């Protein structure tokens, strides 16, 4: 009886070793072996289709920025954190990858821009789906959500800028 248990344990160990070696480094699910990295995608909102980051947080542009270089630093960047990345983000959901670029900020970070507009998040948006920064006038100009082509969306948010509630439809 003891011999059968040893043989079974050895067989199980051998089977595990064989399965582990067959697994290799590739995945049949197509999932990358490394982290996904930054992303710019779209979400359907009460304002229409807007740009969001990989976590679904709304991205904004600052009307005071007249080119790819950001004019938002210090307290401004504390409230409107620049969307920075070490490498160019992946584009998804109708965002043209050719419109995305990185520019160097005065603080040394690399900010994501679309069609020449630096992108930001808003600290007043606590989670995905919020549009609390839409139309806010702060730090010398207005802040707007961004269309997939990189244009500002100037419509007023129907969810209200102080509601704190959602704003995305279709599962966001």
């Amino acid at each position: 009886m003891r011999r059968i248990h040893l043989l079974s344990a050895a067989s199980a160990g051998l089977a595990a070793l064989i399965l582990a070696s067959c697994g290799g480094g590739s995945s049949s699910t197509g999932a990358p072996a490394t982290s996904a990295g930054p992303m710019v995608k779209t979400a359907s909102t009460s304002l229409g289709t807007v740009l969001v980051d990989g976590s679904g947080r709304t991205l904004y542009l600052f009307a005071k920025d007249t080119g790819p270089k950001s004019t938002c630093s210090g307290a401004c960047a504390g409230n409107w954190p620049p969307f920075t990345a070490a490498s160019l983000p992946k584009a998804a959901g109708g965002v043209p990858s050719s419109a995305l670029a990185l520019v160097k900020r005065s603080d040394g970070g690399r900010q994501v821009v679309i069609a020449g507009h630096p992108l930001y998040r808003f600290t007043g948006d606590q989670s995905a789906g919020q549009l609390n920064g839409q139309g806010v006038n702060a730090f010398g100009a207005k802040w707007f959500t961004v269309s997939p082509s990189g244009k500002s969306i100037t419509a007023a948010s129907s969810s209200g800028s102080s509601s704190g509630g959602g704003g995305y439809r279709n599962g966001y």
Side-chain angles (χ1 to χ4, degrees):
M1 185 75 167
R2 184 176 179 105
R3 178 178 261 177
I4 293 173
H5 287 319
L6 288 175
L7 186 56
S8 295
S11 296
L14 182 58
L17 182 60
I18 291 169
L19 287 173
S21 66
C22 290
S26 64
S27 169
S28 62
T29 64
T34 59
S35 69
M39 180 180 285
V40 176
K41 59 185 184 176
T42 60
S44 179
T45 74
S46 59
L47 298 172
T49 302
V50 303
L51 295 183
V52 297
D53 66 12
S55 299
R57 300 272 312 265
T58 304
L59 295 172
Y60 297 90
L61 63 75
F62 186 31
K64 191 173 181 180
D65 292 339
T66 57
K69 192 156 180 82
S70 172
T71 60
C72 179
S73 61
C76 177
N79 286 287
W80 297 89
F83 180 40
T84 59
S87 62
L88 193 63
K90 291 180 178 21
V95 177
S97 59
S98 61
L100 295 176
L102 290 173
V103 295
K104 192 168 187 177
R105 290 182 50 79
S106 60
D107 63 8
R110 296 174 69 184
Q111 187 166 3
V112 179
V113 300
I114 186 163
H117 300 287
L119 296 175
Y120 305 85
R121 294 182 183 104
F122 178 48
T123 58
D125 290 342
Q126 299 300 310
S127 61
Q130 295 184 326
L131 302 164
N132 296 322
Q134 178 66 7
V136 169
N137 191 349
F139 300 98
K142 287 193 174 187
W143 296 84
F144 297 108
T145 55
V146 188
S147 74
S149 66
K151 300 209 183 294
S152 60
I153 299 172
T154 58
S157 174
S158 64
S159 64
S161 64
S162 63
S163 70
Y168 293 173
R169 294 179 296 210
N170 301 331
Y172 279 95

